[in-house]
Amino acid sequence: MKHNWEIKKLGEVLNLEYGKPLPDEKRKPDGLYPVYGANGEKDRTDYYFHDKKSIIVGRKGSAGEINLTEARFWPLDVTYFVTFNEKEYNLQFLYHLLSKQNLPKLAKGVKPGINRNEVYSIEITIPPLSEQKRIVAILDEVFAGIKKAKENAERNLANAKEVFESYLNGVFANPGEDWEIKTLGDIGKPSMCKRILKHQTSISGEIPFYKIGTFGKTPDAFISKEIYNEYRTKYSFPKKGDILISASGTIGRRVRYDGEPAFFQDSNIVWIDNDEKQVLNDYLYVFYEFCNWKPSKGATISRLYNSDLTSIKIVYPKSIEEQKNILKKINELSTETKRLEGIYRKKIEALEEMKKAVLEKAFRGEM
């Protein structure tokens, strides 16, 4: 630490003032001033509670989130806003200082909140005002460069995804001359597993039972091997390679059945019983990603009924070999896209780490 830096508690440097509730009738989308919640601007209003630019610290909800405000604003009661002696401290410097403290780790309780006394007790090192301003100027320049580099990486990441999605969209939007247009009902019969009753399940056991909430994830229910063996032989059951889809909630989530012992919740998880004479399951898997499911809407939840599923139109090459060629191109493009995504994600992560490293260096007095 440099000789002119001081060791202080945050409570000696700043105050965290309580925000104040704002009635709904005083809020409007085109209001003059921003209304800040715990994680940023939530609304607008023609009233303001504080008339100097400040820092919002989330008190409840997104506890510990840090945001800079406009010059006049209204801080809601789920926030603190910062006041300080402007003759000794720089607002931007305090913003970076607070951002570095990882305040969300202080959140406690069932509805996590932050006690300002705990914030006040944090020990920090702080330079004179002139040095604060010099550090802020350097950080602004460095962070602007990091922001631009991050935006470029994010743009490249989006472009890589767009190229892949554009190709897939083109496959189904521009069918060739020797292509069929049919319905999924022409391909195979909608199928589902036999209903499993609650008393037939347990929290541990031999055969995983996937409900709509655990579909494609980790199961939290199981059935006995006896029930599994009986139901899979007596009633409809997917073949290895069949594409299972969610028929309620988030419609159209896909899982390729791998043939391992498992059971699936009836009516919520369904599949087309496809013999692959017309359409390969791998082709169906890709088609489902871009399918317009048009589910029926109930009182509380969307649902894909058999009639919805069977009426969906699918376009595909008559030739199985052509389907295989399309899938080969898709796999090659997917592999390249994932490779590029990995590169750009690593760049973005590296830029975030660089930002943290610069902050660390700044607050050690090494800028």
Side-chain angles (χ1 to χ4, degrees):
M1 186 179 73
K2 289 187 176 181
H3 71 279
N4 59 346
W5 286 50
E6 295 182 82
I7 298 175
K8 291 188 174 185
K9 302 282 189 182
L10 266 175
E12 300 175 73
V13 172
L14 55 81
N15 296 311
L16 296 176
E17 309 285 355
Y18 286 105
K20 184 179 179 180
L22 182 69
D24 287 343
E25 62 268 19
K26 289 189 176 182
R27 306 186 192 197
K28 57 182 186 177
D30 57 348
L32 295 173
Y33 310 112
V35 177
Y36 287 101
N39 61 351
E41 186 177 323
K42 307 300 280 186
D43 218 329
R44 306 288 297 187
T45 181
D46 284 339
Y47 304 86
Y48 62 88
F49 182 70
H50 193 68
D51 64 353
K52 283 187 178 180
K53 196 170 182 181
S54 182
I55 301 162
I56 289 289
V57 178
R59 183 170 72 89
K60 292 181 179 178
S62 298
E65 290 274 345
I66 309 293
N67 287 281
L68 274 173
T69 74
E70 293 183 17
R72 290 179 173 177
F73 64 95
W74 191 289
L76 294 175
D77 52 332
V78 292
T79 71
Y80 296 117
F81 65 95
V82 172
T83 59
F84 59 95
N85 184 345
E86 295 178 30
K87 293 181 180 179
E88 293 187 40
Y89 306 110
N90 175 272
L91 175 68
Q92 293 277 0
F93 184 88
L94 294 181
Y95 169 73
H96 291 307
L97 178 63
L98 284 170
S99 298
K100 180 181 173 294
Q101 302 308 315
N102 189 19
L103 295 184
K105 70 183 178 184
L106 299 179
K108 295 175 183 174
V110 178
K111 294 182 178 179
I114 284 180
N115 184 312
R116 61 181 173 179
N117 289 325
E118 288 195 54
V119 180
Y120 288 161
S121 68
I122 295 173
E123 193 174 81
I124 50 107
T125 57
I126 194 160
L129 182 58
S130 60
E131 180 69 2
Q132 292 174 38
K133 290 179 178 178
R134 188 185 76 84
I135 289 171
V136 167
I138 295 171
L139 289 177
D140 284 348
E141 185 178 351
V142 172
F143 287 173
I146 290 175
K147 182 182 178 182
K148 187 174 181 180
K150 188 177 176 183
E151 287 173 351
N152 287 337
E154 288 172 342
R155 192 179 302 113
N156 288 334
L157 175 59
N159 287 342
K161 291 180 179 178
E162 189 177 326
V163 168
F164 180 58
E165 290 173 2
S166 176
Y167 176 76
L168 288 181
N169 281 322
V171 168
F172 303 115
N174 302 293
E177 291 182 3
D178 197 30
W179 285 47
E180 289 275 16
I181 300 178
K182 289 191 175 183
T183 64
L184 287 178
D186 296 325
I187 303 303
K189 183 180 76 171
S191 302
M192 64 187 74
C193 289
K194 169 74 173 172
R195 173 161 294 184
I196 294 292
L197 302 177
K198 188 173 182 180
H199 74 268
Q200 294 175 303
T201 69
S202 59
I203 59 173
S204 62
E206 301 165 296
I207 307 298
F209 174 54
Y210 291 94
K211 296 173 285 187
I212 192 63
T214 57
F215 182 52
K217 303 175 185 176
T218 302
D220 60 8
F222 296 82
I223 61 172
S224 69
K225 190 177 287 185
E226 288 76 19
I227 292 175
Y228 169 72
N229 286 332
E230 178 186 354
Y231 283 13
R232 70 189 295 267
T233 52
K234 285 185 177 180
Y235 308 103
S236 59
F237 191 80
K239 306 182 297 296
K240 183 177 180 179
D242 278 341
I243 312 302
L244 308 173
I245 53 176
S246 56
S248 69
T250 304
I251 305 295
R253 281 187 291 130
R254 307 158 298 157
V255 168
R256 186 182 278 106
Y257 179 52
D258 60 8
E260 292 298 313
F263 215 76
F264 304 92
Q265 189 177 29
D266 69 294
S267 79
N268 283 335
I269 300 170
V270 300
W271 68 94
I272 291 291
D273 190 14
N274 180 30
D275 60 12
E276 295 194 280
K277 290 179 180 176
Q278 299 181 73
V279 179
L280 295 172
N281 279 329
D282 286 344
Y283 188 92
L284 268 185
Y285 185 85
V286 174
F287 171 76
Y288 286 162
E289 184 174 359
F290 293 89
C291 182
N292 182 2
W293 294 105
K294 297 179 182 177
S296 300
K297 287 188 168 59
T300 57
I301 194 168
S302 294
R303 175 168 289 281
L304 192 68
Y305 292 102
N306 282 356
S307 57
D308 300 320
L309 187 60
T310 55
S311 63
I312 290 169
K313 289 184 178 179
I314 178 172
V315 294
Y316 61 91
K318 291 179 183 178
S319 165
I320 293 294
E321 282 305 310
E322 189 175 350
Q323 290 181 36
K324 288 179 180 179
N325 288 335
I326 289 172
L327 291 168
K328 182 181 177 184
K329 290 177 185 176
I330 288 172
N331 288 333
E332 289 172 352
L333 188 54
S334 174
T335 299
E336 177 62 11
T337 300
K338 287 175 182 176
R339 185 186 72 82
L340 291 173
E341 284 181 6
I343 291 171
Y344 296 133
R345 289 191 193 282
K346 284 180 181 177
K347 283 186 177 181
I348 292 168
E349 289 169 8
L351 289 165
E352 284 298 320
E353 289 303 314
M354 183 187 296
K355 192 172 180 179
K356 291 177 186 176
V358 169
L359 276 176
E360 287 291 337
K361 193 172 182 180
F363 289 102
R364 288 198 304 263
E366 298 173 4
M367 293 297 285

